[in-house]
Amino acid sequence: MIKPSKLANNNFLSSLDISTKEVFHILEIAKNFKNKNLNIDLNNKVLGLIFDKSSTRTRVSFQVAMSRLGGTTIDLNPTTSQIGRGEPIKDTARVLSRYCDVIAIRTFDHSDLEEYAKWSTKPVINALTDLEHPCQALADFLTINEEFLDFKDVVLTFIGDGNNVANSLILCGALLGIEVRIACPKGYEPNSSIIKKAYEIYKNKDLLKITNDPNAAVLGANVLYTDVWSSMGEENKKAEKDKYFKGFTIDNDLVSKADKDAIILHCLPAYRSKEITDEVFESKRNRIFDQAENRLHAQQALLSCLLH
Ligand code: CP
Ligand code: NVA
């Protein structure tokens, strides 16, 4: 029976904190958790959750994952802890390290997450920053792998804003050697250092394509993926972004240009008639709720590998 192996890195701040071998290992462990073939007891280990932004899936899936692993969680609401009153990250991190065995953090600046990791003596997990959402990418590729048993020929097209979700898809896609196409409006392309890192990993450089043309990007694609146009923290940019993202809605016309068996993914929450039409969202191609469920299995696998 397969057992979780310790990861080389102590933290999971970026999709690139793990190797190709480790991504495959986490996906394999996740499948075993999902199929109830694996039972790991973390013996009351405690996960601290710090969420500076809203969350449904990430928060609940981490809580349920810890509970299934025989551990527990403490949800540190920044507004009722000293975090919201400006206690320095380096002090919070050192204190929490004395109570918790692992800490998952959702915040704005990626550099704040790195500051937590610098001062924490316990593993730190990225539960989403403005730059990356690596836990999401693990669940996404688990979902893709359930549909397409061999990743070799899968084409994944992401249509939307080139920020956190797209960035982690690019990096994890590079590790797995999957063709990733990103279509976003001009000025909303993924972070250039992320693209550079991905190209350094891809053996075949043609497998990563960044374009401003969604119609070209979906041609023959097996997976169509989108995310909100205005992310958390961008509430005041909604009107402007709605204008720029016109033409980037996943609708039946775009879907008809993809592979005939293409599936639809969305990290959620979704805004119908913005990034995706209700018709496509509710269509038989939708694997969005399997994807949401897979957050649980992927994070259970991640935690068991980090805390082994
Ligand atoms: N996909 C995702 O991270 O969802 P939440 O914001 O609800 O956690
Ligand atoms: N890009 C979105 C993802 C939500 C899970 C955001 O940052 O709000």
Side-chain angles (χ1 to χ4, degrees), residues 53 106 128-129 133 136 163-165 227-228 230-232 267-269:
K53 294 174 173 176
R106 168 169 288 199
L128 180 147
T129 61
H133 198 1
Q136 179 70 54
N163 71 349
N164 44 20
V165 169
D227 178 18
V228 292
S230 299
S231 286
M232 290 178 277
C267 56
L268 299 175

Side-chain angles (χ1 to χ4, degrees), residues 137-173:
L138 290 177
D140 300 340
F141 284 107
L142 177 59
T143 314
I144 294 169
N145 196 210
E146 285 173 342
E147 194 74 28
F148 306 100
L149 291 183
D150 189 354
F151 281 132
K152 200 163 45 70
D153 299 318
V154 171
V155 176
L156 162 62
T157 296
F158 175 93
I159 298 171
D161 196 6
N163 71 349
N164 44 20
V165 169
N167 288 339
S168 288
L169 282 176
I170 290 173
L171 294 177
C172 200

Side-chain angles (χ1 to χ4, degrees), residues 170-236:
I170 290 173
L171 294 177
C172 200
L175 289 174
L176 293 167
I178 289 181
E179 179 165 346
V180 177
R181 302 176 189 163
I182 307 284
C184 33
K186 231 180 165 20
Y188 294 94
E189 290 86 0
N191 180 286
S192 54
S193 77
I194 297 267
I195 297 175
K196 188 166 167 273
K197 283 181 196 166
Y199 275 127
E200 282 164 13
I201 296 166
Y202 271 114
K203 288 193 185 82
N204 175 356
K205 314 289 173 207
D206 293 337
L207 291 183
L208 175 62
K209 295 188 184 76
I210 315 290
T211 171
N212 304 123
D213 181 355
N215 289 292
V218 296
L219 285 181
N222 306 101
V223 183
L224 303 188
Y225 191 136
T226 188
D227 178 18
V228 292
W229 288 346
S230 299
S231 286
M232 290 178 277
E234 296 188 324
E235 287 73 16
N236 60 350

